[in-house]
Amino acid sequence: MAKMKELQGTDEPDTTPIPPPQPAEPTGGTDEPAGEVESVVMDDPTLADSDAPAVRAVNKLIYDALAARASDIHLESLHDRIRLRYRIDGILEDVEPPAGHLRASVLARLRVMAGLDLADHRTPQDGRMRLQFSDRAVDIRMSTVPILRGESVALRLLDPGRGHIALEDLGLRPNDLGRLMEIARRPHGMVLTTGPGGSGKSTSLHALVRRLSTGKEKIFTVEDPVEYDFEDICQVSVNYRAGLTFANLLRSLVRQDPDILLVGEIRDQETADIATHAALTGHLVLSTLHTRDSIAALPRLVDLGVPEYLVVHTIEAVMAQRLVRTICVHCAEEVDFREEDLLALGPAAQEFATGMVGRGCEECRGTGFLGRTGLYELLVMTDTFREAFLKKQSIRKLREIALSEGMEPLRLDGIYKVEAGITTPEEVLRVT
């Protein structure tokens, strides 16, 4: 429970006044210029009466999103109003939007802040802004897409004030954590995390890098964009307009004598080829792939053009993951689970009939959940598995081998967390 409280990050923001706005700082990582640096007093999000209503509305919706621990803000133009939703613990929640007559001015204000073209409403655009609060700066990535009645705007909040999650607090069970660390301490090879967007892959890799960093290694990260700043690690942001792609940056960084390379994502053949060759020639490479589970990462690399022999000789481990909401510690209570949910989870869930749920309170906004934790499936490459892969065995056969050698599937990890009172059967079924 103490771990759940730590993950939830409920510290109140500092309300100390801040200086006036400062010139914009380059944030990198996108093709669009960074927006201006905005200065907002967190204890008065509506600012003074003399300020423009659109300015007050934008400041308030961002302030409220940070206070609610939202990771994303979604605004969608409707006929005569804006629909406003916050993604909190992975779930979108409707909140009170700005007044309908402010629709155009609110969207224009966001475009100005993110450095987007105000006149172009027919093509998608991406930009960034940095809001200077009293105790920290919050980077925001903005994406706009034209829709039938106007545009859809998505804002990703990159808030360093929430702190960095330690490797032990991700939700890995001790056995998997020990196996992962044993592999990651090897001098070369590749460790991949897989899962859909928003499943915490980058967070896991950053936590692993921080654990591996002792000050005696040369560590580079290549990200799109750099989301969290680490003082003792060299971080590089891709910039496609300037020709700084994952592949081009990797090609340069391998000449920097690195020990560890974190590649934000392997998304094309060139990046996959350079990353695997770096792992083969004395570097530890950490990266992510968008695949359904851990075993699917291997044929995915083959699809990207990496030879099968190179895949099996460079991959040391693949960790698939999902995020589930954790039960609110302020309103948790024991209940009888529904039989159909336990049956859907599988035989391993038949050993218990009761568990914890959140009844809903002010702390969790009535949802019964507060914070998230990970479900993990760790595939460790063995000689038997490598041989089966080279013989082009089916995915089902490869999974049977992996399970026989100690891999536990995502759903089983979820069942363990239901039994421990961390999450609910519905949450596990939702993500697995």
Side-chain angles (χ1 to χ4, degrees):
M1 292 301 182
K3 181 187 298 181
M4 289 167 58
K5 289 183 179 180
E6 183 178 346
L7 288 173
Q8 290 158 9
T10 56
D11 291 341
E12 292 296 325
D14 187 7
T15 57
T16 307
I18 57 176
Q22 301 174 2
E25 298 179 12
T27 55
T30 70
D31 293 347
E32 300 295 335
E36 60 182 286
V37 174
E38 291 294 320
S39 203
V40 179
V41 181
M42 291 192 73
D43 61 344
D44 185 13
T46 58
L47 300 182
D49 292 338
S50 60
D51 286 292
V55 174
R56 298 200 303 270
V58 169
N59 291 340
K60 184 178 187 306
L61 70 87
I62 294 175
Y63 171 84
D64 290 346
L66 290 169
R69 302 176 299 105
S71 61
D72 301 82
I73 301 172
H74 291 259
L75 301 99
E76 296 149 15
S77 298
L78 301 180
H79 178 66
D80 57 353
R81 62 186 178 90
I82 294 177
R83 185 185 188 188
L84 175 62
R85 292 184 289 176
Y86 296 158
R87 189 175 294 279
I88 302 171
D89 295 334
I91 304 297
L92 283 173
E93 297 183 16
D94 279 283
V95 295
E96 185 67 26
H101 69 277
L102 294 176
R103 182 182 67 165
S105 55
V106 164
L107 296 177
R109 170 64 177 164
L110 288 169
R111 282 173 167 269
V112 169
M113 294 169 68
L116 304 186
D117 185 351
L118 286 172
D120 184 3
H121 293 271
R122 295 182 296 178
T123 58
Q125 293 190 63
D126 296 293
R128 294 190 75 174
M129 64 186 83
R130 173 171 293 175
L131 304 188
Q132 185 64 52
F133 290 88
S134 56
D135 58 347
R136 65 190 185 275
V138 177
D139 279 337
I140 300 179
R141 298 201 320 244
M142 177 171 167
S143 171
T144 69
V145 173
I147 58 177
L148 181 62
R149 293 183 177 87
E151 60 185 327
S152 171
V153 175
L155 304 171
R156 169 62 57 90
L157 307 179
L158 307 175
D159 182 9
R162 292 176 183 160
H164 303 301
I165 300 178
L167 190 64
E168 296 83 359
D169 295 331
L170 293 176
L172 279 161
R173 282 174 288 116
N175 182 51
D176 282 345
L177 179 60
R179 296 170 76 200
L180 178 63
M181 286 306 304
E182 187 275 326
I183 292 166
R185 289 195 175 104
R186 297 174 185 175
H188 54 79
M190 182 181 292
V191 176
L192 298 173
T193 59
T194 73
S199 59
K201 301 184 297 296
S202 296
T203 298
S204 295
L205 289 185
H206 282 109
L208 180 58
V209 164
R210 288 195 303 276
R211 168 58 79 85
L212 294 174
S213 176
T214 64
K216 299 178 181 179
E217 308 86 5
K218 183 72 170 184
I219 302 176
F220 276 103
T221 75
V222 185
E223 304 172 67
D224 181 21
V226 172
E227 296 189 7
Y228 300 105
D229 184 14
F230 304 113
E231 292 185 0
D232 55 347
I233 295 175
C234 299
Q235 296 173 273
V236 184
S237 183
V238 303
N239 187 326
Y240 294 101
R241 174 175 292 176
L244 299 177
T245 64
F246 278 114
N248 290 340
L249 287 169
L250 269 179
R251 193 175 289 108
S252 298
L253 294 183
V254 292
R255 294 193 288 268
Q256 286 276 318
D257 187 30
D259 297 292
I260 301 173
L261 286 168
L262 190 160
V263 185
E265 181 184 352
I266 295 177
R267 59 176 65 166
D268 56 50
Q269 179 178 354
E270 190 176 12
T271 304
D273 183 64
I274 298 171
T276 51
H277 277 89
L280 191 65
T281 56
H283 308 88
L284 176 64
V285 179
L286 312 175
S287 191
T288 70
L289 274 176
H290 287 283
T291 62
R292 184 181 65 180
D293 56 27
S294 55
I295 295 175
L298 279 69
R300 173 58 180 154
L301 285 175
V302 175
D303 290 342
L304 287 173
V306 181
E308 292 176 348
Y309 77 89
L310 194 56
V311 170
V312 298
H313 284 95
T314 55
I315 301 295
E316 297 292 339
V318 184
M319 186 170 70
Q321 64 181 84
R322 301 291 189 275
L323 291 177
V324 291
R325 294 181 292 174
T326 53
I327 297 166
C328 176
V329 296
H330 304 285
C331 61
E333 61 182 9
E334 188 172 5
V335 299
D336 294 326
F337 288 138
R338 296 186 304 176
E339 185 177 354
E340 56 266 34
D341 289 338
L342 297 179
L343 288 173
L345 284 176
Q350 309 310 307
E351 300 179 3
F352 53 91
T354 64
M356 305 302 293
V357 299
R359 64 177 181 273
C361 64
E362 184 177 346
E363 293 290 335
C364 62
R365 300 165 62 91
T367 65
F369 298 98
L370 193 61
R372 290 189 288 179
T373 191
L375 306 184
Y376 298 93
E377 174 185 279
L378 181 63
L379 168 67
V380 176
M381 297 289 285
T382 64
D383 291 340
T384 303
F385 189 92
R386 289 185 171 101
E387 183 178 352
F389 182 76
L390 288 174
K391 289 181 177 179
K392 302 185 185 299
Q393 298 280 4
S394 67
I395 292 294
R396 175 176 293 184
K397 180 62 177 178
L398 292 174
R399 175 165 286 273
E400 290 176 359
I401 295 172
L403 292 174
S404 69
E405 295 185 333
M407 185 185 81
E408 295 186 324
L410 285 164
R411 179 162 294 183
L412 184 58
D413 191 19
I415 291 172
Y416 291 151
K417 288 181 169 64
V418 170
E419 190 174 13
I422 296 173
T423 190
T424 65
E426 294 88 348
E427 273 296 290
V428 176
L429 290 170
R430 179 178 66 86
V431 302
T432 63

